[in-house]
Amino acid sequence: MLSEQILIRENNVQFFNEEIIQQVRNYSRKLEETGKLSPEILTYIYEHQLFKLFLPKSLHGAEMPLPEALAIFEEAAKIDGSFGWLVTIGFGGNFFSAYLNENIAEMLFLPENAVVAGSGAITGTAVKQENGYIVNGQWQFCSGAHHATIFTANCKIEATKTEVEMVRSFVLLPDQVTIIEDWKTFGMQGTGSHSIKTENAFVPAERTFDLSQPPLLFPDYLLYKYPFWQFAEVSFAVVALGVGLHFLEEAFAALEQNRQRRQDPSTERYAFIREKFENAHDELLQARTAFYAAVNESWQEMETQQMLSEEMKKTVSKASKKVAKVARQAAHEMFPYLGMAAATQTSLLNQLFRDLHTVCQHTTLISYEE
């Protein structure tokens, strides 16, 4: 049975203090309206190196293990969905530093405010030139575009007489891109996941990379050997998890407030809703436990084998999709019992519901199995 004070976390370790939690939550509505983090929140991120926790120590990063970082992602998403997504994406872009040469990696990632925004879509073209490429294209869903110092974009390189068409990733600088403010989803509005466009931008060859090849730098940092697809899956899954846990906390508070305000004489009604809540909550915690077990097991395999087996990749993928699915289902289970507050667009419950469903639309979290 649940106590009146819900303790979602499995341990008492917290990365974020109460001051920043309240600051972010107080700004949450403004974040939805503007799609931009406030200067004060960005300053906190820079001072605490939240965008550098996945960088190696040689680039003044924390070189953090994946399981430890995921707990921070979850905590950030539980504070606010858009904040959690931007912190997670900011972490994740560090992955690309290992695929560049040392000088370029230092130039791009050493600055205090260094952070990547980009898209995985292959919606650009590149024409090979001497020492580089001419790049044109437009890319959607570049989260954190307004505070990014680095943009990554995938392009098809036009075939020549001697080479077949191929795909490569390109690093664009802020003065080479135009931000198109077209992020119009019903949730996660604060992520500023706008499109970017570039026209006839010259990108030197050393600012390009190929994720299908082994990394060039930091051979001792296990994270950069972790398969990129599974890395993306687990990163996005914990955002869904954090938002889902926050939704259930707010749902529980709303249920208790409604019970006390109405002084409902029907004990059966409250018992029915309470049981619904406890079942949804327990199922999500079970999925959370299974998810972290899969992640920890995969990290142990990386430590011993320096790679993931195909079976382990499937295990991680399945656990990631499952925890996101259970979080979404938990919100669906509770939504009908939360009254008009949940259906009111300006309420926190409504925002959390919208954020959770938007996160779970990401292709890495969609399962085609029961």
Side-chain angles (χ1 to χ4, degrees):
M1 296 291 288
L2 277 166
S3 64
E4 296 297 313
Q5 179 66 34
I6 305 175
L7 296 176
I8 299 289
R9 291 182 62 85
E10 293 179 345
N11 56 60
N12 294 320
V13 177
Q14 285 189 308
F15 189 87
F16 299 96
N17 61 36
E18 201 59 36
E19 182 180 353
I20 190 62
I21 291 172
Q22 291 309 312
Q23 185 177 351
V24 172
R25 287 186 171 175
N26 290 341
Y27 189 75
S28 183
R29 178 57 57 189
K30 189 71 173 177
L31 182 56
E32 269 215 317
E33 293 172 359
T34 64
K36 299 178 184 179
L37 292 171
S38 70
E40 293 78 14
I41 294 173
L42 276 172
T43 296
Y44 176 90
I45 288 172
Y46 299 146
E47 288 179 348
H48 290 79
Q49 295 187 301
L50 291 182
F51 290 150
K52 290 180 173 286
L53 297 184
F54 272 164
L55 278 177
K57 293 176 181 177
S58 61
L59 290 178
H60 301 171
E63 205 164 307
M64 188 171 283
L66 181 60
E68 185 178 341
L70 292 178
I72 296 174
F73 295 172
E74 178 191 327
E75 192 177 335
K78 193 161 171 280
I79 296 170
D80 176 85
S82 291
F83 173 72
W85 182 266
L86 289 173
V87 168
T88 301
I89 290 292
F91 269 106
N94 296 165
F95 199 97
F96 305 133
S97 65
Y99 290 82
L100 302 163
N101 71 46
E102 188 173 359
N103 290 336
I104 296 297
E106 289 180 355
M107 179 187 77
L108 295 173
F109 289 92
L110 273 179
E112 181 186 51
N113 65 338
V115 62
V116 175
S119 169
I122 308 168
T123 52
T125 60
V127 179
K128 198 168 186 179
Q129 306 284 302
E130 185 178 1
N131 301 322
Y133 301 84
I134 298 295
V135 174
N136 286 277
Q138 185 168 319
W139 299 266
Q140 290 181 299
F141 312 136
C142 300
S143 300
H146 283 300
H147 59 257
T149 61
I150 305 161
F151 292 88
T152 57
N154 293 328
C155 295
K156 289 182 179 179
I157 300 175
E158 291 187 3
T160 66
K161 292 181 179 179
T162 58
E163 297 177 331
V164 298
E165 185 178 76
M166 58 183 292
V167 174
R168 198 162 180 84
S169 300
F170 291 76
V171 175
L172 300 166
L173 303 180
D175 63 0
Q176 293 181 301
V177 307
T178 300
I179 296 173
I180 302 169
E181 296 193 348
D182 57 358
W183 178 243
K184 305 296 182 183
T185 54
F186 83 136
M188 300 298 283
Q189 295 170 5
T191 63
S193 300
H194 302 302
S195 293
I196 60 168
K197 182 179 181 179
T198 192
E199 295 181 357
N200 298 321
F202 177 75
V203 180
E206 60 265 28
R207 280 205 339 248
T208 74
F209 58 95
D210 183 354
L211 281 175
S212 69
Q213 299 300 312
L216 302 175
L217 304 176
F218 320 123
D220 296 327
Y221 188 17
L222 278 181
L223 179 71
Y224 292 161
K225 298 179 183 179
Y226 202 88
F228 186 74
W229 184 259
Q230 280 69 37
F231 170 76
E233 286 177 319
V234 298
S235 298
F236 300 156
V238 289
V239 176
L241 173 59
V243 177
L245 291 172
H246 190 184
F247 179 89
L248 287 181
E249 279 194 356
E250 294 298 329
F252 182 78
L255 290 172
E256 291 301 304
Q257 289 169 6
N258 289 342
R259 179 176 67 90
Q260 294 170 16
R261 184 176 68 249
R262 294 172 180 167
Q263 296 182 337
D264 195 337
S266 172
T267 56
E268 292 82 4
R269 177 184 179 279
Y270 177 75
F272 175 83
I273 299 174
R274 179 65 180 250
E275 184 178 5
K276 282 277 188 182
F277 176 85
E278 291 183 359
N279 288 340
H281 179 266
D282 289 346
E283 285 179 15
L284 183 53
L285 288 188
Q286 289 170 15
R288 179 183 188 269
T289 298
F291 169 77
Y292 278 110
V295 171
N296 287 328
E297 188 178 354
S298 73
W299 195 251
Q300 291 169 4
E301 188 170 289
M302 286 296 303
E303 290 177 327
T304 57
Q305 306 295 327
Q306 302 292 300
M307 61 180 293
L308 291 189
S309 65
E310 291 303 313
E311 182 179 355
M312 182 57 68
K313 290 178 185 177
K314 292 178 182 178
T315 298
V316 169
S317 295
K318 186 175 181 179
S320 299
K321 291 175 171 61
K322 177 68 178 291
V323 76
K325 181 180 179 180
V326 172
R328 185 177 64 243
Q329 288 176 335
H332 273 284
E333 280 292 309
M334 292 311 304
F335 195 85
Y337 308 107
L338 299 175
M340 288 305 295
T344 302
Q345 205 168 25
T346 55
S347 74
L348 177 56
L349 275 170
N350 187 274
Q351 179 183 334
L352 291 168
F353 189 83
R354 290 185 283 108
D355 284 351
L356 178 58
H357 282 73
T358 304
V359 172
C360 290
Q361 287 296 109
H362 199 285
T363 185
T364 61
L365 301 180
I366 302 299
S367 174
Y368 298 95
E369 300 176 353
E370 291 296 330

